[in-house]
Amino acid sequence: MKPSTLNIASPLCPVPLRDYPQVILAHGGGGKLSAELIEHIFAPAFANEHVTLLSDSTPLCLPSQRIAVSTDSFVVQPLFFPGGSIGDLAVNGTVNDLAMSGARPMYLTAGFILEEGFEMEQLIRIAKDMGRAARDAGVAIIAGDTKVVERGHGDGCYINTSGIGVLPAERKIAVDQAKPGDAVILSGSVGDHGVAIMSVREGLDFESPILSDCASLADLVQKMLDTSTNIRAMRDPTRGGVAMSLNEIAAASRCGIELDDECIPIKEPVRSACEFLGLDPLLVANEGKLIAIVAKSDADQVLNTMRAHPLGCDAAIVGHVVEDDNQLVVSRTAVGTKRIVSIPVGEQLPRIC
């Protein structure tokens, strides 16, 4: 039977999932076709002891510690880009938000909003990317939801993920904890994700391909926490980039931050692309980098730990926290002058995550 002749209200439903090369409204109707999506795409891709139960909710056993909760929605275009996909982003983005508070990410939920006509093969690929990213991050996707909107009322696929992590009672890592004298450490080169997205949108070719840095930072963070108890604040500089994250820390901690432009790692193709597109690399989004504010006494030790990790091998101390009632972030340029690193008024690059 062909989909065009199928009466989905018929008691003869369902037909095999393979007979639907595209998502149809009934896949979000909560009926047999919704169940087929879960059974044939999501459950195998996310495979863990919780999703196999297919219950309305999932009972969890959490360690007797504080929990951290985060949620984020992902609307990136294109859905697949050099170095990742919306599936990778949907997992790593929420995992990293949890990790930045010092929490150990444990569980995720996933909500899908699909547009009628969305290619089933793309959905399968996205689900597989999510499953792989979750396993790499050491988290389990334990609940989810799917809705389908009419053709023309969506943009293929949106995903929301929410996460739960645990953290020790005594751990306090927050944007208001920075103190004058602390070191500002960046885990690696900036701007890779935003420029990778733009290269696809604008059809730009570079001599060396620019890949998104999309990755889970949970393991790197855990090793940093094992090294030092004097990590004051952490942020993954996604939308708004490094500039936004540092200005938020400066404002919350009522201090200033001084950077050194020459210490900030930027890959040459990214630097060239930013010059070509008129972008400030400090404002471009990253999806696999972190900023850590660390007490001066522990900075070198934390830096060495980061450089020993694959995701922190290019880490560098890029500046310091200073006393400043105006709470400015400034950077010393190569010619010795200073420039204010301000936050963007709007988004330089919309829909990058």
Side-chain angles (χ1 to χ4, degrees), residues 190-195 237-247 259 264 266 270 274 278-286 329 339-350 352:
V190 298
D192 297 8
H193 176 71
V195 172
T238 53
R239 285 184 301 171
V242 170
M244 187 71 184
S245 295
L246 290 180
N247 273 281
L259 303 175
I264 298 171
I266 305 173
V270 172
C274 286
L279 303 174
D280 182 346
L282 294 185
L283 293 172
V284 178
N286 315 271
V329 178
R339 65 184 180 100
I340 295 176
V341 180
S342 56
I343 59 176
V345 175
E347 283 188 280
Q348 278 201 131
L349 304 173
I352 44 77

Side-chain angles (χ1 to χ4, degrees), residues 87-257:
D88 297 295
L89 277 179
V91 171
N92 293 331
T94 296
V95 164
N96 291 344
D97 285 346
L98 292 169
M100 292 307 107
S101 66
R104 178 166 61 88
M106 295 188 67
Y107 300 109
L108 295 182
T109 66
F112 295 83
I113 297 177
L114 305 175
E115 182 180 3
E116 179 186 17
F118 187 61
E119 295 294 332
M120 196 67 75
E121 286 297 328
Q122 292 194 31
L123 181 60
I124 293 171
R125 184 177 166 190
I126 289 168
K128 288 182 176 178
D129 285 348
M130 293 183 71
R132 175 186 43 74
R135 288 187 289 276
D136 290 347
V139 301
I141 301 173
I142 48 89
D145 180 56
T146 303
K147 295 291 188 299
V148 179
V149 297
E150 292 86 350
R151 193 183 300 267
H153 288 257
D155 200 2
C157 175
Y158 301 144
I159 303 174
N160 171 272
T161 51
S162 297
I164 298 174
V166 297
L167 69 169
E170 70 278 5
R171 184 167 294 159
K172 188 172 184 179
I173 296 174
V175 292
D176 63 351
Q177 296 297 301
K179 302 180 188 306
D182 290 348
V184 179
I185 303 179
L186 191 56
S187 66
S189 59
V190 298
D192 297 8
H193 176 71
V195 172
I197 296 291
M198 281 301 295
S199 69
V200 178
R201 288 187 191 169
E202 303 298 326
L204 302 176
D205 290 323
F206 301 102
E207 192 169 320
S208 300
I210 298 174
L211 304 180
S212 168
D213 58 353
C214 184
S216 163
L217 296 167
D219 186 63
L220 172 62
V221 168
Q222 193 56 56
K223 287 181 168 50
M224 294 166 62
L225 295 172
D226 291 342
T227 298
S228 172
T229 58
N230 288 311
I231 298 173
R232 318 271 201 207
M234 287 189 288
R235 269 295 171 93
D236 56 333
T238 53
R239 285 184 301 171
V242 170
M244 187 71 184
S245 295
L246 290 180
N247 273 281
E248 289 176 343
I249 292 171
S253 298
R254 299 181 181 279
C255 59
I257 292 176

Side-chain angles (χ1 to χ4, degrees), residues 131 138 306:
M306 295 172 74

